[in-house]
Amino acid sequence: PVVICVSLMASWGMVLAAIVAPDAFFGLAAESKRWLTSSFTWLFIASQNVWVFFIIYIALNKQFGELKLGHIDTKPEYSTVGWFFMMFGSAGVGTGLFYYGVGEPILHLTYNRYAAKSYLTYNERSQEAMNLTFYHWGIHAWTCYTVVGITIGITSHRLGLPMTIRSAFFPLFGHAVYGFVGDLIDALSICTTLIAICTSTAAGAIQINTGISLLNPDIPRSTFIHVILVIIMTLMASISVHFGLRHGVRILSVASFMIMISMMIMVALVDDTVFLMNLLVQSTGHHIQWFLQL
């Protein structure tokens, strides 16, 4: 009850604040973002690199790399390919990749810390833009998911603890996670997850509305259309969850992933295929070489 009450009050408090005083709320949010990025960027970059090397270490270490997240005698319920589909098809990654896969390199090309170096050529600045995009959507980004997944998997399936974020802190805080500290951790995790889902859903609604409006100018870009699209996506997600992981989420994930792959192949074939393949290989090598410098 404590977790539900605290998370509901915090979530609805933010919603009401945004409705009642939008200018003050979003102004405070923007100022908070500027303060966090200016004060703790070093911590974010350093910790991401630490987690990357940590994941590589446990993956290559036989003692940990072959450790099952479930019990020793259990078998995976889904294949690796199936889990791959579900991660990319229903984890909200598709919304980001569809839009920011194109938008972010363009943003970094026009504005990034390397743009001040006037001696860089356009090709060099373009390569740095791709490098920054790879950082946001590559190994470093997936490390966040991996660390949380491993921690929750071990503590839940191996130690028999509840599948909540507080369980991940049991080795550090012990039985204190069953008190106020654990309630605070779970409430915070619910609020942050809710904010992330709302952001992904809203971005998806804006993208869909923009695309439909470009195809049919009679359909305007409006908040009303955005709300309708959010309701439709929420209903589809709810139906998928209602039917469970096997008959709901898995089927929807496979379908959406296949659509994503089809669009990717279409773009690769319709556009300059040789240039895109060269860019992919070159950008991957450049990122591997310079990702620590980021």
Side-chain angles (χ1 to χ4, degrees), residues 4 8 25 41 73 97 117 120 145 148 159 161 166 181 186 195 208 219 238 244 252 254 288:
I4 295 176
L8 281 177
F25 177 80
T41 296
D73 57 346
L97 289 178
K117 299 179 180 180
L120 293 180
Y145 296 97
V148 175
L159 301 182
L161 299 177
R166 75 168 71 193
V181 175
D186 279 349
I195 293 172
I208 295 172
I219 300 178
S238 300
L252 185 62
V254 171
I288 294 174

Side-chain angles (χ1 to χ4, degrees), residues 180-195:
F180 173 77
V181 175
D183 292 337
L184 183 62
I185 292 173
D186 279 349
L188 181 61
S189 66
I190 291 174
C191 291
T192 53
T193 303
L194 179 62
I195 293 172

Side-chain angles (χ1 to χ4, degrees), residues 1-74:
V2 175
V3 175
I4 295 176
C5 292
V6 172
S7 57
L8 281 177
M9 287 190 295
S11 302
W12 280 109
M14 287 187 292
V15 172
L16 292 176
I19 295 174
V20 174
D23 295 335
F25 177 80
F26 291 109
L28 178 61
E31 184 61 32
S32 300
K33 178 184 176 182
R34 282 192 292 268
W35 178 77
L36 287 171
T37 53
S38 63
S39 302
F40 295 102
T41 296
W42 64 270
L43 178 62
F44 176 80
I45 300 295
S47 61
Q48 288 297 92
N49 288 331
V50 170
W51 289 125
V52 168
F53 285 110
F54 171 74
I55 294 298
I56 293 175
Y57 168 75
I58 63 174
L60 298 179
N61 190 308
K62 291 184 177 181
Q63 181 181 357
F64 304 112
E66 299 178 358
L67 182 67
K68 284 187 177 182
L69 297 183
H71 293 289
I72 299 176
D73 57 346
T74 56

Side-chain angles (χ1 to χ4, degrees), residues 122-136:
Y122 182 82
N123 183 65
E124 289 174 328
R125 285 189 286 114
S126 301
Q127 188 64 74
E128 295 301 338
M130 291 300 300
N131 194 29
L132 292 172
T133 304
F134 270 46
Y135 178 81
H136 291 155

